[in-house]
């Protein structure tokens, strides 16, 4: 059976199954288990309404438990076993891993990514949001800067690999160097700095995201505060840094953390650009180099990523709870 | 702010110019690759894409056929034109591979063993040798050829490199993986937004927490599980995986939107005797269309552009490669230097998301805002 037909069937079965499940389960609940119209009508309606939310939630909860909750436990459990999965070695994988030079490089690089990419993307996003705020063609400019969001990390890597190409007749960077008479070099093999060339790709992609959200936040600032500042003689820079930025601090933090989480997941760029060579490995790409070879090590890396994400997760949940109480 | 504080035209100029610069920097890499995808392979390596509208000086090699030899005194003479179609301008020429552009056009070059070679600007050549000519002599020359743009790279990549198959595979992965989670999530989001029950707050917090669980954790345990229950690496497996991974965002976005729907409508419907199921399908679902569209776009872009999940949950044979895997694992290795092909492949994979992006940008922006500024 060709995958395409299989796909159609899956859509039919999936959608039909979902609709059927929800419809049938509600029907059974109302007509069979707690029928209305008998002498216990009132009690039955209440009971049915206590069960119904769980009918609505069941498929989603099952899927999320299986695909997101179980892996947290499953990965940790698997990381305590050796490569073949037969021998329990406690924290052996972690011990070996933390002593590994490759892992240390990846960890340090990952911290650099977490520091630089969210900062860069948020800053540039804020800059563009502010600059385009009152511009006649601001929406076109924003749309164009937002565009890389639609491009896959692989596609973006290819686009930038072209810019970074070694040959001055192909790569823009080396063409510029060439016009100043400098010898061509490969930006991707430049120790230490190559990391930043890779990070810039993600900044390039994420600036649009930051811009869209911060731009909406800037629009939401009460006009009076800005007007009052201008009447008091504030110059445009003071208005921006003293009046506007403090008022959208909350949004800036949200953007920052969202990009931080993303940074910890993206392996595509490093994988496509350098394959983790030349000292550019980060944790997700380091993990992929062990995937299919040593599941014990791979899950250990994944769990380290989870531990790094944990503070953000807790913070997010707290925010959501505070939100719900308001 | 300018209108209030009096026009500061100089500042306005600075702003305009800075935005132009930023937009140019943001676009240049993509534009460069797009232009290159239409260029001829040899022209790409001869000049940068920024020079693509201009003629390209390229080195060529011509084998003068020895059959046309004429005996002129004690010299054997070969003559003809290096241009097959008689068009072009020779700038420089040479007689050996090591120095292909040694002499200016029109110059009579002295080669080894008393032989001479003259190539004129219009392409005529004159080769003289005191001894018998045994092999076709090679003439090297550089000539400016006009810029060539064509769809040849796209034809190559689609016809002979199986990119069409990868395209279909991507589509096959994407569509069910986009549609199925929406429905499941919509019901769950309704329950979390409009139904009262114990544990609702906890479940909302759970969804928010799951939003940031790194995918990496799921790879090994779930692949093992898939192998155990017999799904293995297959399309069914990747559809299920994408559905699971997409649900938290779907539920979160949809719930945020549904909570904001007017309470009156829903409550009056309930007073009139509508069941939750009816309220959901008849009122909430149609009203939530913008949020459903936002999530659909997110999930579509995410699954279309995904490399990680496809690498792990799909079989690793070339028949099941999606485009991202095809580019990253196959083309970048086998066509490493062939930028025309790579560029064309990139744009085949980028085209659909870009179309979706530019036509549905409104919903995308709305979804982003609902997801973050809450």
């Amino acid at each position: 059976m060709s995958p395409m037909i299989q796909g159609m069937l899956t859509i039919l079965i999936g959608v039909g199954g979902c609709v059927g499940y929800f419809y049938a389960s509600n029907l059974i609940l109302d007509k069979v288990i707690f029928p209305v119209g008998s002498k216990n009508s009132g009690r039955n309606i209440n009971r049915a309404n206590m069960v119904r939310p769980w009918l609505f939630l069941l498929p989603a909860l099952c899927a999320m438990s299986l695909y997101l909750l179980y892996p947290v436990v499953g990965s940790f459990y698997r990381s305590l076993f050796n490569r073949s999965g037969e021998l329990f070695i406690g924290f052996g994988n972690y011990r070996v891993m933390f002593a590994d030079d490759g892992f240390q490089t990846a960890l340090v690089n990952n911290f650099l990514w977490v520091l630089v990419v969210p900062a860069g993307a948020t800053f540039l996003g804020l800059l563009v949001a502010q600059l385009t705020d009152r511009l006649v063609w601001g929406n076109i400019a924003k749309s164009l800067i937002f565009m890389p969001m639609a491009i896959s990390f692989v596609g973006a890597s290819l686009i930038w690999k072209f810019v970074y190409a070694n040959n001055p007749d192909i790569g823009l960077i080396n063409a510029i160097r060439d016009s100043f008479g400098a010898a061509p070099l490969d930006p991707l093999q430049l120790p230490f700095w190559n990391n930043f060339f890779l990070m810039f790709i993600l900044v390039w992609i994420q600036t649009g995201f930051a811009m869209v959200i911060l731009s909406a936040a800037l629009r939401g600032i009460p006009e009076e505060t800005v007007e009052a500042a201008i009447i008091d003689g504030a110059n445009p820079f003071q208005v921006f840094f003293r009046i506007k930025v403090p008022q959208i601090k909350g949004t800036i933090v949200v953007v920052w953390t969202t990009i931080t989480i993303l940074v910890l997941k993206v392996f595509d760029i490093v994988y496509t650009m350098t394959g983790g060579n030349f000292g550019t490995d980060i944790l997700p790409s380091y993990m992929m180099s062990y995937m299919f070879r040593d599941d014990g090590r791979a899950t250990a890396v994944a769990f380290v990523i989870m531990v790094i994400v944990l503070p953000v997760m807790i913070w997010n949940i707290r925010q959501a709870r505070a939100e719900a109480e308001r | 702010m300018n209108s209030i504080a009096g026009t500061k035209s100089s500042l306005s100029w600075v702003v305009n110019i800075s935005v132009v610069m930023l937009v140019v920097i943001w676009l240049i890499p993509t534009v460069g690759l797009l232009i290159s995808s239409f260029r001829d392979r040899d022209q790409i390596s001869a000049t940068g894409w920024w020079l693509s509208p201009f003629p390209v000086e390229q080195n060529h090699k011509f084998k003068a056929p020895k059959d046309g030899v004429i005996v002129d005194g004690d010299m054997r003479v070969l003559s003809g034109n290096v241009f097959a179609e008689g068009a072009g301008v020779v700038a420089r020429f040479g007689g050996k591979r090591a120095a292909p552009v040694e002499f200016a056009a029109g110059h009579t070059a002295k080669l080894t063993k008393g032989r001479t070679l003259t190539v004129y600007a219009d392409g005529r050549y004159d080769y003289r040798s005191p001894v018998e000519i045994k092999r076709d002599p090679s003439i090297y020359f550089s000539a400016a050829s006009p810029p060539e743009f064509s769809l040849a790279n796209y034809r190559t990549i689609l016809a002979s490199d199986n990119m069409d198959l990868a395209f279909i595979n991507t589509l096959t992965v994407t569509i069910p993986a986009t549609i199925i989670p929406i429905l499941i999530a919509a019901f769950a989001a309704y329950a979390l937004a409009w139904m009262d029950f114990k544990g609702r707050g906890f479940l909302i917090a759970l969804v928010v927490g799951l939003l940031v669980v790194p995918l990496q954790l799921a790879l090994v345990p779930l692949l093992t599980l898939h192998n155990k229950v017999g799904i293995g690496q297959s399309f069914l497996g990747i559809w299920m995986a994408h559905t699971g991974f997409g649900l938290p965002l779907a539920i979160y976005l949809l719930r945020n939107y549904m909570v904001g729907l007017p309470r009156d409508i829903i409550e009056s419907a309930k007073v009139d005797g509508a069941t939750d199921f009816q309220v959901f399908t008849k009122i909430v679902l149609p009203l939530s269309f913008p949020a459903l569209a936002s999530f659909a776009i997110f999930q579509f872009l995410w699954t279309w552009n995904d490399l990680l999940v496809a690498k792990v949950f799909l079989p690793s044979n070339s028949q099941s490669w999606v485009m991202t895997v095809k580019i990253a694992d196959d083309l970048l290795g086998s066509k490493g230097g062939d930028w025309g092909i790579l560029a064309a492949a990139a744009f085949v994979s980028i085209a659909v998301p870009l179309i979706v992006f530019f036509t549905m940008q409104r919903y995308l922006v709305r979804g982003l805002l609902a997801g973050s500024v809450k």
Side-chain angles (χ1 to χ4, degrees):
Chain A
M1 189 163 45
S2 97
M4 204 64 190
I5 301 171
Q6 207 184 330
M8 302 281 191
L9 264 177
T10 308
I11 295 178
L12 278 180
I13 295 171
V15 174
C18 282
V19 174
Y21 159 78
F22 287 115
Y23 185 75
S25 66
N26 273 283
L27 205 68
I28 291 172
L29 188 71
D30 289 331
K31 296 276 144 75
V32 181
I33 305 178
F34 300 117
V36 183
S38 62
K39 57 182 180 205
N40 292 333
S41 266
R43 208 184 65 186
N44 273 358
I45 288 178
N46 283 342
R47 279 190 179 168
N49 282 345
M50 269 168 62
V51 178
R52 201 182 323 274
W54 300 101
L55 288 183
F56 275 56
L57 284 163
L58 189 70
L61 285 184
C62 287
M64 283 195 297
S65 315
L66 184 61
Y67 280 86
L68 290 165
L69 269 185
Y70 157 68
V72 178
V73 183
S75 267
F76 181 66
Y77 183 70
R78 180 64 185 82
S79 72
L80 302 176
F81 288 81
N82 72 348
R83 180 179 179 151
S84 64
E86 285 153 4
L87 190 68
F88 181 82
I89 52 169
F91 287 94
N93 279 319
Y94 294 88
R95 258 198 305 278
V96 176
M97 189 172 72
F98 275 96
D100 178 26
D101 280 344
F103 177 78
Q104 288 168 5
T105 314
L107 196 64
V108 171
N109 285 340
N110 226 143
F111 271 107
L112 276 179
W113 277 72
V114 166
L115 286 179
V116 173
V117 175
T122 312
F123 171 75
L124 285 170
L126 187 58
L127 186 73
V128 178
Q130 170 63 22
L131 290 180
T132 55
D133 199 22
R134 297 292 161 92
L135 226 51
V136 183
W137 57 290
N139 279 338
I140 300 172
K142 278 198 265 190
S143 183
L144 292 175
I145 289 182
F146 194 29
M147 180 203 66
M149 276 287 282
I151 297 176
S152 61
F153 296 122
V154 174
S157 302
L158 206 61
I159 287 173
W160 282 91
K161 212 172 177 134
F162 190 66
V163 174
Y164 293 153
N166 214 336
N167 180 344
D169 282 327
I170 291 176
L172 204 56
I173 302 266
N174 275 309
I176 295 169
R177 281 178 60 86
D178 193 55
S179 69
F180 288 111
L185 57 80
D186 191 339
L188 298 179
Q189 295 189 21
L190 216 57
F192 185 67
W193 296 108
N194 49 8
N195 284 302
F196 292 89
F197 287 110
L198 297 185
M199 287 175 212
F200 186 73
I201 303 174
L202 196 53
V203 172
W204 180 73
I205 296 174
Q206 288 300 314
T207 295
F209 163 74
M211 174 201 70
V212 163
I213 290 173
L214 294 172
S215 166
L218 283 177
R219 292 264 162 90
I221 292 177
E223 197 72 28
E224 305 87 66
T225 57
V226 178
E227 275 171 30
I230 292 172
I231 291 166
D232 287 347
N235 67 35
F237 292 96
Q238 287 172 322
V239 170
F240 180 65
F241 286 109
R242 301 268 179 86
I243 308 292
K244 290 189 169 177
V245 171
Q247 293 195 63
I248 57 168
K249 216 186 248 162
T251 313
I252 293 180
V253 173
V254 170
V255 169
W256 196 294
T257 47
T258 310
I259 300 177
T260 306
I261 295 292
L262 181 86
V263 170
L264 288 167
K265 292 183 189 172
V266 174
F267 98 110
D268 319 34
I269 293 177
V270 169
Y271 181 80
T272 318
M273 295 293 277
T274 62
N277 294 316
F278 319 120
T280 56
D281 230 353
I282 54 174
L283 292 179
S285 61
Y286 180 81
M287 181 204 167
M288 276 313 275
S289 63
Y290 283 95
M291 184 83 204
F292 303 121
R293 290 200 293 132
D294 182 348
D295 283 352
R297 176 78 74 93
T299 45
V301 183
F303 203 74
V304 170
I305 300 177
M306 178 71 206
V307 169
I308 299 175
V309 171
L310 209 55
V312 183
M313 186 191 276
I314 292 167
W315 188 82
N316 270 0
I317 293 175
R318 280 219 183 128
Q319 289 298 104
R321 301 219 92 155
E323 173 83 30
E325 273 159 32
R326 240 187 289 136
Chain B
M1 106 187 94
N2 292 344
S3 55
I4 305 161
T7 320
K8 293 192 175 165
S9 60
S10 63
L11 187 67
S12 153
W13 270 109
V14 172
V15 166
N16 268 299
I17 291 170
S18 330
V19 176
V20 170
M21 299 251 302
L22 276 167
V23 169
V24 168
I25 293 173
W26 244 246
L27 278 186
I28 270 189
T30 318
V31 171
L33 201 66
L34 181 63
I35 292 175
S36 300
S37 73
F38 295 110
R39 291 183 81 199
D40 176 69
R41 176 193 170 132
D42 295 327
Q43 295 203 341
I44 291 177
S45 43
T47 59
W49 59 267
W50 49 92
L51 294 174
S52 61
F54 306 107
V56 180
E57 190 111 311
Q58 277 173 296
N59 290 349
H60 303 273
K61 177 184 176 183
F62 179 78
K63 285 251 184 209
K66 69 177 195 292
D67 304 339
V69 69
I70 303 164
V71 180
D72 176 17
D74 54 352
M75 296 298 259
R76 286 155 180 82
V77 180
L78 281 179
S79 54
N81 196 311
V82 292
F83 295 114
E85 282 110 38
V89 178
V90 174
R92 302 186 68 82
F93 72 96
K96 52 190 179 202
R97 195 213 294 269
V101 288
E102 204 176 354
F103 309 104
H107 187 88
T108 299
K110 290 194 169 55
L111 306 178
T112 51
K113 298 179 191 159
R115 294 168 301 176
T116 61
L117 171 66
T118 313
V119 181
Y120 300 96
D122 59 4
R124 280 183 301 116
Y125 63 87
D126 190 58
Y127 180 86
R128 286 161 187 273
S129 168
V131 293
E132 195 190 340
I133 302 169
K134 291 199 181 108
R135 274 176 295 158
D136 294 350
S138 299
I139 300 174
Y140 299 90
F141 65 98
S142 70
S145 31
E148 274 174 52
F149 294 101
S150 70
L151 292 172
N153 291 326
Y154 288 90
R155 266 196 290 275
T156 313
I157 193 79
L158 289 175
S160 59
D161 278 312
N162 271 341
M163 197 66 179
D164 49 350
L165 181 66
F167 186 92
I168 291 174
N169 284 339
T170 299
L171 206 63
T172 311
V173 168
T174 307
I175 295 176
T178 306
I179 295 177
I180 294 174
I182 292 181
L183 209 62
I184 299 178
F187 276 96
Y190 174 76
L192 292 177
W194 287 107
M195 289 166 132
D196 258 330
F197 59 95
K198 247 197 166 136
R200 188 170 80 156
F202 170 76
L203 285 182
I204 295 171
L206 180 76
V207 169
V208 173
L210 290 182
L211 218 44
V212 297
V213 168
L215 275 186
Q216 274 82 4
L217 277 175
L219 304 180
V220 172
L222 285 175
L223 189 59
T224 317
L225 185 76
H226 279 183
N227 285 333
K228 251 185 222 154
V229 299
I231 300 172
Q233 289 180 309
S234 67
F235 280 99
L236 183 60
I238 197 171
W239 290 325
M240 290 170 56
H242 272 310
T243 302
F245 300 150
L247 276 177
L249 181 69
I251 297 176
Y252 181 68
L253 275 183
L254 292 175
R255 191 200 91 90
N256 275 353
Y257 189 86
M258 288 177 184
V259 158
L261 293 176
R263 180 171 283 272
D264 308 351
I265 304 182
I266 291 160
E267 279 180 356
S268 58
K270 279 191 183 171
V271 168
D272 289 346
T275 64
D276 272 311
F277 189 73
Q278 286 166 328
V279 171
F280 174 72
T281 48
K282 301 255 166 70
I283 299 173
V284 173
L285 211 52
L287 283 179
S288 304
F289 176 76
L292 296 172
S294 314
F295 171 72
I297 297 167
F298 275 122
Q299 181 77 356
F300 175 83
L301 290 179
W302 156 247
T303 47
W304 186 280
N305 290 336
D306 160 78
L307 172 67
L308 183 62
V309 181
K311 260 181 83 71
V312 174
F313 287 98
L314 276 182
S316 51
N317 61 38
S318 61
Q319 288 304 303
S320 327
W321 274 341
V322 294
M323 285 192 286
T324 47
V325 177
K326 169 96 187 159
I327 291 174
D329 283 356
D330 180 35
L331 295 181
L332 270 174
S334 64
K335 310 264 177 190
D338 198 341
W339 278 107
I341 294 292
L342 284 175
F347 278 93
V348 168
S349 79
I350 291 172
V352 176
L354 279 186
I355 293 170
V356 170
F357 174 82
F358 279 113
T359 51
M360 316 262 244
Q361 205 176 13
R362 204 157 47 97
Y363 292 112
L364 188 66
V365 169
R366 203 182 302 191
L368 277 181
L369 294 178
S372 323
V373 197
K374 267 280 170 179

